């Protein structure tokens, strides 16, 4: 797996030490953490995306959920139609800073077996997403 540069920032020469900000894609659909799993799956399907950015009532990032996360939650023996996204997120993160080098981000993603990594600013607001190519 290698990181894909989704939206290059400029046509200038590639910096020697590319950062997460240089390669991140837009954050994508943002949903509130009180949304149910079924509604989130519908939003994901209609947006034709592989992930949803989850925010709290203050608009701060609480996590990134993939279709695999949502499907696993729905197929769980403890699932009810009242399960909200905040119930399946667990701890906050993983997140990375826009100044993280691409080498560090790729290492973190491989080590944690992540397909996507959320890029946030110092206030916890989403800036974008790094995704691994298959």
């Amino acid at each position: 797996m290698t990181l894909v540069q989704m939206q290059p920032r400029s046509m200038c020469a590639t910096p020697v030490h590319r950062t997460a900000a240089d390669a991140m894609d837009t954050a994508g659909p943002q949903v509130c953490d009180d949304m149910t799993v079924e509604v989130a799956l519908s939003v994901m399907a209609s947006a034709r995306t592989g992930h949803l950015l989850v925010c709290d009532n203050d608009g701060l990032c609480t996590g990134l959920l993939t279709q695999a996360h949502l499907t696993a939650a729905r197929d769980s023996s403890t699932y009810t139609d009242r399960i909200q996204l905040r119930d399946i997120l667990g701890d906050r993160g993983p997140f990375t800073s826009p100044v993280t080098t691409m080498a560090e981000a790729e290492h973190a993603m491989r080590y944690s077996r992540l397909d996507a990594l959320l890029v946030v600013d110092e206030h916890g607001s989403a800036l974008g997403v790094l995704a691994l190519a298959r």
Side-chain angles (χ1 to χ4, degrees):
M1 295 189 292
T2 57
L3 283 172
V4 174
Q5 183 170 348
M6 301 300 287
Q7 295 181 345
R9 293 286 183 204
S10 69
M11 299 304 282
C12 299
T14 304
V16 174
H17 297 288
R18 288 185 33 201
T19 64
D22 296 324
M24 68 184 182
D25 190 11
T26 57
Q30 296 184 12
V31 296
C32 193
D33 63 359
D34 63 355
M35 181 178 282
T36 65
V37 170
E38 287 298 327
V39 174
L41 282 165
S42 295
V43 168
M44 188 177 285
S46 63
R48 295 183 179 164
T49 186
H51 62 269
L52 292 175
L53 174 65
V54 183
C55 298
D56 64 14
N57 290 332
D58 296 324
L60 298 179
C61 288
T62 57
L64 186 74
L65 289 174
T66 64
Q67 185 169 7
H69 290 122
L70 295 172
T71 302
R74 184 189 59 200
D75 295 344
S76 166
S77 62
T78 59
Y79 175 77
T80 71
D81 61 355
R82 294 183 184 184
I83 300 281
Q84 297 177 326
L85 299 182
R86 69 173 62 111
D87 300 328
I88 63 171
L89 271 175
D91 63 356
R92 292 177 52 94
F95 304 114
T96 195
S97 163
V99 297
T100 301
T101 67
M102 290 302 296
E104 292 169 327
E106 186 172 3
H107 175 75
M109 292 174 77
R110 288 179 190 276
Y111 180 78
S112 300
R113 297 182 180 172
L114 301 172
D115 292 332
L117 184 62
L118 194 55
V119 181
V120 298
D121 66 14
E122 64 275 6
H123 304 292
S125 298
L127 300 175
V129 175
L130 291 175
L132 288 175
R134 294 264 173 215

